[in-house]
């Protein structure tokens, strides 16, 4: 007896490719799985995404990638998110970049420390897709960029 397997392939690739006019997001997250999932979700809603695992990678990316938004975990392996925000703000041509801090646990002065470092917002994980759209939607609109809310 022979085993048979049938594979069905789509005629056209359905990969989540960002539109030309998508919001440009640099996502900084040390956890490989979360970085992959969140980057995919951001692409599905129409963002053009670069992902980084640490502060050094994020700084290299921000110099080469004209991000509209940096979503960054505060706990990174090489620098903390507050330092990363200060480094980004010290770079030329980054005053337009919206910095958003991500945390798993929000301590008493985390929000005020984030604002002092240059973050516009602080979000607590886990983040449902709708919350991401609530935060990124107005930023995209103000920049003439687009997001797709139907993917949530």
């Amino acid at each position: 007896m022979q085993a048979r397997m049938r594979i069905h392939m789509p005629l056209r690739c359905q990969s989540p490719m960002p539109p030309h006019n998508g919001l440009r997001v640099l996502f900084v997250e040390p956890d490989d799985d979360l970085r992959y999932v969140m980057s995919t979700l951001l692409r599905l809603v129409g963002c053009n995404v670069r992902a980084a695992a640490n502060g050094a990678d994020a700084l290299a990316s921000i110099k080469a990638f004209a991000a509209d938004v940096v979503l960054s975990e505060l706990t990174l392996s090489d620098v903390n998110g507050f330092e990363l925000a200060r480094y980004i703000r010290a770079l030329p041509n980054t005053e337009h970049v919206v910095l958003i801090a991500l945390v798993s646990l929000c301590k008493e002065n985390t929000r005020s420390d984030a604002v002092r470092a240059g973050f516009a917002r602080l979000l607590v994980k886990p983040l449902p897709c709708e919350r991401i759209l609530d935060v990124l939607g107005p930023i995209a609109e103000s920049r003439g960029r687009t997001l797709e809310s139907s993917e949530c």
Side-chain angles (χ1 to χ4, degrees), residues 103-120:
V103 294
S104 298
L105 177 66
C106 189
K107 297 178 184 169
E108 187 176 320
N109 38 338
T110 305
R111 285 189 195 281
S112 58
D113 290 346
V115 169
R116 271 195 302 281
F119 286 101

Side-chain angles (χ1 to χ4, degrees), residues 5-147:
M5 181 178 7
R6 206 177 261 200
I7 300 174
H8 297 277
M9 300 292 286
L11 292 176
R12 189 170 67 104
C13 180
Q14 299 290 325
S15 66
M17 295 301 292
H20 178 66
N21 200 29
L23 191 67
R24 297 172 64 84
V25 177
L26 173 58
F27 180 59
V28 188
E29 169 61 51
D31 181 271
D32 294 338
D33 294 332
L34 184 54
R35 190 172 58 254
Y36 172 78
V37 169
M38 187 71 159
S39 295
T40 300
L41 184 133
L42 289 166
R43 285 184 183 97
L44 285 171
V45 298
C47 295
N48 186 342
V49 181
R50 290 265 176 102
N54 56 49
D57 291 347
L59 287 172
S61 291
I62 195 118
K63 291 174 183 176
F65 179 67
D68 296 304
V69 175
V70 174
L71 283 169
S72 179
E73 166 64 51
L74 290 181
T75 307
L76 301 171
S77 60
D78 52 354
V79 297
N80 68 46
F82 303 125
E83 292 172 283
L84 177 61
R86 286 189 281 273
Y87 291 149
I88 290 170
R89 286 293 178 231
L91 293 171
N93 305 316
T94 59
E95 60 278 347
H96 70 284
V97 178
V98 178
L99 303 178
I100 300 173
L102 302 173
V103 294
S104 298
L105 177 66
C106 189
K107 297 178 184 169
E108 187 176 320
N109 38 338
T110 305
R111 285 189 195 281
S112 58
D113 290 346
V115 169
R116 271 195 302 281
F119 286 101
R121 305 282 300 262
L122 182 129
L123 302 176
V124 180
K125 299 187 279 187
L127 291 172
C129 183
E130 294 81 11
R131 179 71 176 127
I132 294 164
L133 289 173
D134 288 345
V135 172
L136 296 182
I139 299 168
E141 192 174 304
S142 72
R143 311 240 169 148
R145 307 237 189 237
T146 56
L147 291 181

